[in-house]
Amino acid sequence: MGKELLEKLESIPATLVGGLCLVLSFVLPKVGVVLPIDPAWVTVIISGIPLLVAAIRKLFRNRGISKISSALLISLAMIAAIAIGDLFAAGEVAFIMAIGEILEEWTTGRAKRGLTKLMSLAPVHGRRITENGEEWVAAEDIREGDILRILPGETVPVDGVVVSGESSVDQSVLTGESLPVDKMIGDSVFCGTVNCFGAMDIRATKVGENSSLQKLIRLVKEAEENKAPTARIADKCASWLVPLALLIAIVTGFVTTDITRAVTVLVVFCPCALVLATPTAIMAAIGQATHHGIIIKSGEALEKMGKVDAVAFDKTGTLTHGRLEVCDVLPLDDSTTKETLLTLAASAEKKSEHPLGKAIVRYAQGQNLPLTEASSFTMTAGMGIAAQIADSTVLCGNQSFLEKHQITWKDRVAETADRLRLQGKATVIVAQNGNLLGVIALSDTLRPEAKRMVNRLQDIHTETVLLTGDNTLTAHYFAEQVGISAVHADLLPEQKVTRIAALQAEGHTVCMVGDGINDAPALKTAAVGVAMGSMGSDIAVEAADIALMGDDLSKIPYLKRLSVATVRTITFSITLSMVINLFAVLCSVLGWLTPTTGALVHNAGSVFVVLIAALLYDRKFKE
């Protein structure tokens, strides 16, 4: 019952009612209206009771100096003002504190849906092979050594090793790789990944909490728990504000024998402007960032972004668009044109479900090339396809696939394929009726703003690092294109976390920019996590502190400048509020202010803080 009452008193509607009553308490006597009960009592009850409860709780629950909080000082001032009958002053300090609490809660609140979504990816069933055939079993009942059959389109329920069959597996949930990975006998497969094509049998090697997906979930959970919120500035200052305020109030009352002056000291000493300085500036910065298509989830992230001196990037979907496109169509001789090569390959791949085949068909259709329906179509998982186009047999695949069909290999084709692979490109070799026709290369496409963004970060002395699950050749090729020299490839999620932890152990403040589910632990571990919001996974967006809704990497340097400006604004507001408070304390000691006029001066400091924050909202940052 008590908890529910406090929640109602701390709600926004209740606080607004308290503010209205405070205004009436000040205005009505000025126009000659006297009510039986001062409306400020409503403000004291609504805003003062939660404040008093918070102060008492900290006194009994906290240890050492942390018992002394800003809530304690404001509670003392409120009680003292009530004792001498100045209800407006009592209600004013309580109301300003309540507003600060609401603003701070709004700016620092963060949803926890990401972890729930990640956990929903965990497979719940598997197909176990027994002496009597196949049986569906719950994932938690699978044991090490069990043989499991994974059909096309099914999710791998545990970590294991392929013992029969061949296929291609989508591992993007763990590694972020844009292409499915071919799996043959002896290759490892991971929990949560998706079997794309052929059926395969695996032997379970890691089950339950030891599987890769469960480890990923555990990493996100641990990173969330380890990222404790920063202590409020007002509470940090309270350890010396409360004793100082009490000392000055007591000395003033003893020397002047005027209790009103002592109470006024307590009222003007309240750190309300101090409480408002951080949340109002953060609200203004978050508002401005929203206009630029950036969602900032917490003030802590905004503050830390200004201290970032190293930015780690995922590749696929972050530095690149995350989709395959045809980039090279290379006939082997002059007798075959690019159009002929592309038309044959796209006609053959028209029935393919492989991402490479789909990309070739999409590109050919974009070129308005006439495609022919294949009279027959067969696919060898992880190797290639064969199709009958009119009176010719067309093969599209890798070197092993063509050699399997007794296609004579040419040095020129090998050299071309090797060169393209060094550029991080996937290759499809095309043959017709036993003759090699050419090579089609596909690649993820680099975001046009990526190189300029990296250069701008380096200009402001911020290191850049590439952390990717892609292979080394692809990683180095794209890193070279954008100007990143520090490259770490073939990384699983826990290895990305390790790399970030190592950077932070070296004294760096690291920002991680990513888009995939596999990036979630790294986004949580880094001081600041930035997710590509429009195409990134929901889990990555929830795990991150900041989301780029337009996927515009050029906003990263802007974020850093905005953060620096926000911290400077907060520092200036705190300094100004302290100067005003000290001036008001002096006036209170001299008897120039009463609790009511002191509350108004004290309120003026809060107004200045809000106005300064408004200037931050309208500030223009040069791109």
Side-chain angles (χ1 to χ4, degrees):
M1 182 65 183
K3 183 179 180 181
E4 292 178 359
L5 177 61
L6 284 176
E7 288 178 351
K8 289 180 180 179
L9 291 176
E10 292 172 332
S11 67
I12 293 176
T15 304
L16 291 177
V17 170
L20 177 61
C21 290
L22 190 64
V23 171
L24 292 175
S25 174
F26 182 76
V27 173
L28 292 181
K30 305 296 182 185
V31 295
V33 178
V34 180
L35 297 177
I37 299 176
D38 193 326
W41 271 116
V42 177
T43 310
V44 169
I45 292 170
I46 290 175
S47 300
I49 290 177
L51 185 67
L52 188 60
V53 170
I56 293 172
R57 280 178 178 171
K58 289 180 179 180
L59 274 175
F60 284 98
R61 293 182 181 179
N62 291 7
R63 294 182 178 181
I65 200 69
S66 61
K67 290 177 178 290
I68 301 175
S69 63
S70 56
L72 177 60
L73 176 54
I74 296 175
S75 296
L76 291 174
M78 180 179 67
I79 292 169
I82 293 173
I84 65 169
D86 198 328
L87 290 173
F88 175 80
E92 189 268 346
V93 293
F95 175 72
I96 293 295
M97 187 69 174
I99 291 294
E101 292 282 356
I102 289 173
L103 291 177
E104 189 161 30
E105 183 178 346
W106 186 86
T107 57
T108 58
R110 185 180 301 169
K112 305 293 183 182
R113 298 189 300 272
L115 188 58
T116 304
K117 291 178 182 177
L118 184 57
M119 293 176 70
S120 70
L121 295 176
V124 294
H125 293 98
R127 184 183 285 101
R128 184 162 59 193
I129 306 300
T130 66
E131 295 178 355
N132 299 321
E134 300 177 2
E135 62 175 359
W136 275 101
V137 295
E140 58 265 25
D141 292 333
I142 297 173
R143 300 290 178 261
E144 287 187 24
D146 284 352
I147 303 300
L148 308 170
R149 180 158 293 162
I150 318 295
L151 298 182
E154 292 183 350
T155 301
V156 180
V158 295
D159 288 7
V161 175
V162 179
V163 295
S164 176
E166 296 179 350
S167 186
S168 295
V169 176
D170 180 358
Q171 297 187 159
S172 59
V173 68
L174 292 177
T175 66
E177 290 174 281
S178 53
L179 289 174
V181 179
D182 297 337
K183 298 293 182 180
M184 292 177 280
I185 294 175
D187 289 340
S188 297
V189 291
F190 305 105
C191 177
T193 59
V194 179
N195 183 23
C196 296
F197 307 116
M200 60 182 179
D201 293 347
I202 68 170
R203 183 180 71 256
T205 56
K206 293 181 181 179
V207 300
E209 292 298 315
N210 294 322
S211 70
S212 298
L213 185 60
Q214 291 298 332
K215 189 181 293 184
L216 177 63
I217 293 171
R218 194 159 58 248
L219 284 169
V220 175
K221 192 181 295 184
E222 288 172 358
E224 174 68 29
E225 291 170 353
N226 290 337
K227 183 177 280 189
T230 54
R232 284 178 43 187
I233 294 174
D235 282 339
K236 289 180 181 179
C237 296
S239 60
W240 58 270
L241 274 179
V242 173
L244 183 61
L246 288 174
L247 177 63
I248 294 176
I250 292 170
V251 171
T252 301
F254 181 77
V255 172
T256 64
T257 64
D258 187 350
I259 189 65
T260 300
R261 294 192 189 190
V263 172
T264 306
V265 168
L266 289 177
V267 169
V268 299
F269 228 124
C270 288
C272 292
L274 200 62
V275 169
L276 288 173
T278 299
T280 52
I282 288 171
M283 280 188 67
I286 288 174
Q288 182 180 128
T290 302
H291 284 299
H292 286 77
I294 302 168
I295 305 300
I296 301 174
K297 299 183 184 179
S298 72
E300 182 186 4
L302 191 63
E303 180 183 354
K304 287 184 176 179
M305 190 68 200
K307 302 174 184 177
V308 164
D309 59 2
V311 181
F313 294 94
D314 173 50
K315 182 189 78 67
T316 306
T318 303
L319 291 178
T320 68
H321 286 290
R323 60 177 182 268
L324 289 170
E325 292 184 3
V326 173
C327 54
D328 298 283
V329 180
L330 306 172
L332 286 181
D333 51 54
D334 296 337
S335 62
T336 304
T337 64
K338 290 184 177 182
E339 289 75 16
T340 301
L341 178 61
L342 186 58
T343 301
L344 274 175
S347 297
E349 295 277 12
K350 199 171 180 183
K351 295 181 180 180
S352 174
E353 290 299 316
H354 196 283
L356 293 179
K358 287 184 174 181
I360 290 173
V361 173
R362 185 170 60 246
Y363 182 76
Q365 290 173 336
Q367 301 292 313
N368 295 318
L369 296 177
L371 304 186
T372 305
E373 287 292 329
S375 57
S376 67
F377 175 87
T378 58
M379 181 185 73
T380 303
M383 298 186 74
I385 61 101
Q388 192 69 28
I389 306 294
D391 57 351
S392 63
T393 300
V394 179
L395 304 177
C396 301
N398 56 27
Q399 179 179 346
S400 299
F401 181 69
L402 271 71
E403 288 177 344
K404 183 179 179 181
H405 285 79
Q406 286 79 49
I407 303 296
T408 304
W409 199 246
K410 295 181 180 179
D411 291 340
R412 183 181 171 190
V413 177
E415 291 173 1
T416 301
D418 289 342
R419 175 174 57 82
L420 293 171
R421 278 193 289 270
L422 287 172
Q423 296 175 358
K425 300 175 182 178
T427 57
V428 175
I429 304 167
V430 184
Q432 181 184 30
N433 294 331
N435 298 313
L436 288 172
L437 294 185
V439 179
I440 296 176
L442 302 94
S443 175
D444 201 349
T445 54
L446 195 67
R447 293 184 185 275
E449 72 274 15
K451 182 175 177 62
R452 181 165 175 260
M453 177 272 303
V454 169
N455 289 337
R456 288 165 65 195
L457 286 174
Q458 291 172 349
D459 288 342
I460 54 177
H461 309 293
T462 303
E463 294 184 22
T464 53
V465 183
L466 181 61
L467 304 178
T468 178
D470 266 358
N471 65 76
T472 302
L473 290 177
T474 302
H476 279 278
Y477 174 76
F478 280 101
E480 185 179 341
Q481 298 301 303
V482 297
I484 296 177
S485 56
V487 180
H488 303 283
D490 296 310
L491 300 180
L492 291 174
E494 61 266 30
Q495 293 170 318
K496 289 186 179 183
V497 169
T498 300
R499 291 290 181 183
I500 288 176
L503 283 170
Q504 294 183 151
E506 294 171 3
H508 291 288
T509 302
V510 181
C511 168
M512 174 68 193
V513 186
D515 76 302
I517 294 169
N518 61 297
D519 296 320
L523 290 169
K524 280 291 186 186
T525 302
V528 183
V530 178
M532 310 296 282
S534 66
M535 73 164 291
S537 74
D538 289 343
I539 291 168
V541 172
E542 293 296 342
D545 305 295
I546 300 170
L548 305 180
M549 302 314 294
D551 289 351
D552 186 356
L553 287 174
S554 67
K555 301 301 182 185
I556 301 294
Y558 158 78
L559 268 172
K560 186 169 173 61
R561 291 197 303 274
L562 176 65
S563 177
V564 170
T566 303
V567 172
R568 288 176 178 171
T569 298
I570 292 171
T571 302
F572 178 74
S573 295
I574 289 172
T575 303
L576 179 63
S577 67
M578 295 302 293
V579 170
I580 291 174
N581 275 16
L582 291 174
F583 175 74
V585 167
L586 178 61
C587 292
S588 301
V589 171
L590 296 174
W592 297 349
L593 293 175
T594 64
T596 298
T597 56
L600 293 175
V601 172
H602 163 263
N603 196 41
S606 301
V607 171
F608 281 134
V609 164
V610 174
L611 290 176
I612 292 167
L615 294 176
L616 175 63
Y617 180 84
D618 293 324
R619 186 177 303 180
K620 303 297 181 183
F621 290 91
K622 184 179 178 181
E623 284 293 334

